[in-house]
């Protein structure tokens, strides 16, 4: 089942503060570059709300899914 809905960007940053302490973010022309644990996720869209499926892709990449699902219940689907 695919994730549906949008996740506010402020909720994503709050989740990253809890689940990925020390993460970095850099706003670029069309997207955000998010870094954590020597990994870079180069394609988080630069919108105020982001599709839940895209957020799930990022948290899977960083290996923080269980924590992210506690912080953002929409990611449980």
């Amino acid at each position: 089942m695919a994730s549906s809905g949008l996740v506010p960007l402020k909720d994503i940053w709050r989740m990253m503060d809890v689940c990925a302490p020390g993460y970095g973010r850099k706003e670029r022309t069309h997207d955000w570059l998010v870094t954590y644990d020597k990994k870079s996720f180069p394609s988080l869209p630069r919108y105020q709300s982001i599709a839940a499926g895209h957020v799930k892709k990022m948290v899977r990449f960083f290996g923080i899914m269980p924590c992210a699902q506690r912080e953002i219940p929409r990611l449980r689907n």
Side-chain angles (χ1 to χ4, degrees), residues 11-25:
D11 291 352
I12 295 169
W13 297 144
R14 189 176 359 211
M15 176 271 300
M16 291 295 288
D17 287 337
V18 172
C19 300
Y23 81 97
R25 66 183 186 212

Side-chain angles (χ1 to χ4, degrees), residues 23-43:
Y23 81 97
R25 66 183 186 212
K26 180 180 178 185
E27 188 174 14
R28 302 188 304 180
T29 304
H30 300 290
D31 54 24
W32 288 93
L33 172 67
V34 183
T35 57
Y36 174 65
D37 196 28
K38 299 180 184 178
K39 296 179 182 177
S40 297
F41 187 81
S43 59

Side-chain angles (χ1 to χ4, degrees), residues 18-77:
V18 172
C19 300
Y23 81 97
R25 66 183 186 212
K26 180 180 178 185
E27 188 174 14
R28 302 188 304 180
T29 304
H30 300 290
D31 54 24
W32 288 93
L33 172 67
V34 183
T35 57
Y36 174 65
D37 196 28
K38 299 180 184 178
K39 296 179 182 177
S40 297
F41 187 81
S43 59
L44 188 68
R46 206 179 98 186
Y47 300 123
Q48 289 304 308
S49 293
I50 299 170
H54 205 89
V55 178
K56 283 180 83 168
K57 181 177 179 182
M58 180 182 74
V59 299
R60 266 192 244 107
F61 176 77
F62 287 132
I64 58 172
M65 183 62 83
C67 179
Q69 288 175 328
R70 284 192 302 274
E71 297 298 316
I72 303 175
R74 181 173 301 273
L75 301 181
R76 291 183 189 148
N77 297 349

